Amino acid sequence: MGGKQDRNEAYGFPRFSPRSCTDVICCVLFLLFILGYIVVGIVAWVYGDPRQVLYPRNSTGAYCGVGANKDKPYLLYFNIFSCVLTANVITVAENGLQCPTPQVCVSSCPEDAWTVEVNQLSEKVGEVFYTANRNFCLPGVPWDMPVIQSLQQELCPGFLLPSTPALGRCVPFLNSTPPELPGISSNTSISQGISGLFDILNARDISVKIFEDFAQSWYWILTALGVALVLSLLFILLLRLVAGPLVLVLILGVLGVLAYGIYHCWEEYRVLRDEGASITQLGITTNLSAYRNVQETWLAALIVLAVLEGILLLMLIFLRQRIRIAIALLEEASKAVGHMMSTLFYPLVTFVLLLICIVYWAMTALYPLPTWQALLGLPSCGKVQMNTSCNPMAQPVNSSCPGLRCIFQSYSSTGLVQRSLFNLQIYVVLALFWTVNWVLALGQCVLAGAFASFYWAFQKPQDIPTFPLSSAFIRTLRYHTGSLAFGALILTLVQMARVILEYIDNKLRGSQNPMARCIMCCFKCCLWCLEKFIKFLNRNAYIMIAVYGKNFCVSAKNAFMLLMRNIVRVVVLDKVTDLLLLFGKLLVVGGVGVLSFFFFTGRIQGLGRHFENPALNYYWLPIMVSILGAYVIASGFFSVFGMCVDTLFLCFLEDLERNDGSADRPYYMSKTLLKILSKKNEALPGHKKRKK
């Protein structure tokens, strides 16, 4: 009866280890942090204005393209050269593309070059501008104002250049000839200054062509992605049949490549040796390609490849049993995925949760908190104090200074919220990293719980839970939110340290000496290695959490010690799995890429009128999108398979250490693994035959 009871509890392995909430303190801190994140988002939405990012603003601070300027979506600079001659392009961009020149919202950008002529200075504004459809003056300029007065007060532009919209601003063409203006010479300084703004001028035409290509080929791209999905699914499901031969072929392929490399290096070395080409004749040089013509280079490469070949052969001889166990685990993982097909589509849940995290962060970031301020200016009058705050919506009137205007200057930093902007930005970035890492941890723990229920089912598939994935999802959220938050927080702190280090490196890059750069590079390398180790440790800790329901620290310690006791098996399984999944990705991505190339270039004939390749401006665009999409799909499917392999491997190690094959403590591993271990140990103690 005792054995029967244990078997009945086996498939419901969470009851085998009673569950309770783990890392409660970290769970509470995480929920409070999320609550604060929501409060920060609300504050940003209340005090901020996303239009500061989405729309340009004229000299009065009004937005172009919305409200009263709904029909005027573009911003025209009266003298755009002042933007690039007074400061560099980066400074102008950091100031929100604000320049020391009047700016007005217009319905369309100028198409032709034009300059106010001398005989037009005495004419009226209406005659020179309005009747000629040059509606580029500031709002409210009267029809009968003399042109010379409007130019003196900078109410109308003195010249126009053929322009194109870029980021909502009218930017002149690079090949347009600038007019003869005081203080501005048509030399290379203008071209150099504007060139930074003209990098995106061709983006409009290119974007239109790209949009047309997507409109013509989107359904064929979806077809290619469907082919990638089917290939990935078939590859995983067929591993139960071809994992052994496929791994053998891949290993022999690696041996063959190394053998050819040894042969090639020997031939090159022999030829250069006969010619007498030696490194003593070349000496020390920075031209690395010159080392290809000396015999020592090829001799060193030959020795390295020969050592690698020998190591691989020795591994095949002495680790063949462990390789067989790795292959059996891969086959078992394929069977587990076949019994739990829903797990293959769980990455979609992770993708949706990640999308929510990123979209919420982006929406909060699009609501900049600083409010804008305006200052008096243009022109200088002795009776009026310049650079004082004013209301741009109510322009000042001063008879002694008719050109006085209130001009949008910059964003204000006063107020409690505005003064805390930097701290709030740090908080938001930290929240982004923590939530993203928590979502990834949730996916790993849920998949581990589902696949562990497969391994610990004594009778497969009868004892597998009906809904293993949903059960694991609910169980993880109910009991282990705090443990996932703990692991995600540790990883987040390391990632934040890397970000801060990168920021410091970029700020000090120009002033660093070689020693400082070396130290900085060492720090970055150490943090990168630390991040990789924490990701590895967290992944295995989440598996142990899913199996036994312990807290994060205990699970991480148990997982690490278990892996260290079986380090050789870990290395063999990891490398075999990496080799197999790399081949799978190459197969899926390469197959879709080749198929897309032959189809979109029209090299597949005789498919019929309904399967003709569309006429495209850039045939490489749908090919690249198909390849990228195929890689994403293959990575999603194979990430599930990789998590399955890691979970079954840890369960297999636990099974070996906790059970002995007797009637009271039977093994839960598959029949294939039992046979391998039986041949290795001649007979398992207490081994009892049972059905698969």
Side-chain angles (χ1 to χ4, degrees), residues 143-159:
W143 177 286
D144 56 352
M145 176 180 285
V147 172
I148 187 172
Q149 183 180 353
S150 68
L151 296 181
Q152 291 173 347
Q153 298 180 9
E154 293 190 325
L155 299 176
C156 295
F159 65 93

Side-chain angles (χ1 to χ4, degrees), residues 480-506:
H480 309 305
T481 297
S483 297
L484 301 184
F486 192 6
L489 177 61
I490 297 174
L491 182 59
T492 297
L493 294 178
V494 176
Q495 291 173 339
M496 289 293 293
R498 290 192 64 194
V499 171
I500 295 173
L501 202 62
E502 289 289 345
Y503 176 79
I504 295 175
D505 185 34
N506 290 331

Side-chain angles (χ1 to χ4, degrees), residues 263-533:
Y263 168 77
H264 180 75
C265 291
W266 167 254
E267 289 295 323
E268 292 289 341
Y269 168 74
R270 185 176 57 81
V271 172
L272 294 174
R273 183 193 59 185
D274 296 340
E275 295 177 355
S278 175
I279 195 172
T280 57
Q281 301 174 354
L282 178 65
I284 304 300
T285 178
T286 57
N287 184 13
L288 299 181
S289 61
Y291 288 102
R292 296 176 54 187
N293 300 321
V294 296
Q295 56 178 312
E296 287 80 2
T297 301
W298 294 102
L299 179 61
L302 185 149
I303 294 174
V304 171
L305 293 179
V307 170
L308 291 176
E309 184 88 355
I311 292 175
L312 188 56
L313 287 174
L314 291 176
M315 289 178 60
L316 288 177
I317 295 173
F318 294 102
L319 301 179
R320 59 186 183 277
Q321 287 297 112
R322 289 179 171 84
I323 294 176
R324 292 183 61 194
I325 293 175
I327 294 173
L329 283 172
L330 292 173
E331 296 174 349
E332 194 71 7
S334 178
K335 296 176 184 177
V337 172
H339 288 297
M340 302 177 183
M341 294 292 291
S342 59
T343 56
L344 289 174
F345 300 96
Y346 184 82
L348 294 178
V349 178
T350 301
F351 173 77
V352 171
L353 294 177
L354 290 177
L355 188 62
I356 293 174
C357 295
I358 295 174
V359 168
Y360 182 83
W361 171 81
M363 290 176 61
T364 303
L366 279 178
Y367 279 75
L369 296 175
T371 55
W372 54 276
Q373 62 180 1
L375 300 176
L376 286 173
L378 297 174
S380 178
C381 297
K383 298 181 180 180
V384 179
Q385 185 178 0
M386 297 292 118
N387 296 329
T388 58
S389 299
C390 59
N391 183 5
M393 300 307 176
Q395 291 293 333
V397 178
N398 192 312
S399 58
S400 62
C401 195
L404 187 65
R405 290 204 318 279
C406 187
I407 302 176
F408 170 73
Q409 179 68 19
S410 62
Y411 296 115
S412 174
S413 60
T414 60
L416 176 61
V417 176
Q418 284 74 25
R419 290 196 303 269
S420 305
L421 177 61
F422 179 76
N423 295 331
L424 293 176
Q425 290 173 338
I426 295 296
Y427 187 91
V428 169
V429 173
L430 180 63
L432 174 66
F433 279 99
W434 198 359
T435 52
V436 167
N437 287 327
W438 184 86
V439 169
L440 296 176
L442 176 66
Q444 293 175 353
C445 194
V446 169
L447 290 175
F451 293 128
S453 66
F454 170 85
Y455 185 92
W456 297 113
F458 192 78
Q459 299 290 342
K460 301 178 179 63
Q462 293 87 348
D463 293 342
I464 300 176
T466 306
F467 301 104
L469 185 63
S470 58
S471 300
F473 185 83
I474 296 173
R475 185 170 56 248
T476 302
L477 285 181
R478 180 180 178 183
Y479 295 109
H480 309 305
T481 297
S483 297
L484 301 184
F486 192 6
L489 177 61
I490 297 174
L491 182 59
T492 297
L493 294 178
V494 176
Q495 291 173 339
M496 289 293 293
R498 290 192 64 194
V499 171
I500 295 173
L501 202 62
E502 289 289 345
Y503 176 79
I504 295 175
D505 185 34
N506 290 331
K507 285 293 184 180
L508 303 179
R509 181 165 294 174
S511 59
Q512 287 180 351
N513 56 37
M515 181 61 68
R517 286 198 298 270
C518 179
I519 295 175
M520 185 66 68
C521 183
C522 292
F523 276 125
K524 292 194 292 185
C525 180
C526 291
L527 286 179
W528 180 83
C529 295
L530 180 60
E531 181 182 356
K532 293 297 182 182
F533 173 75

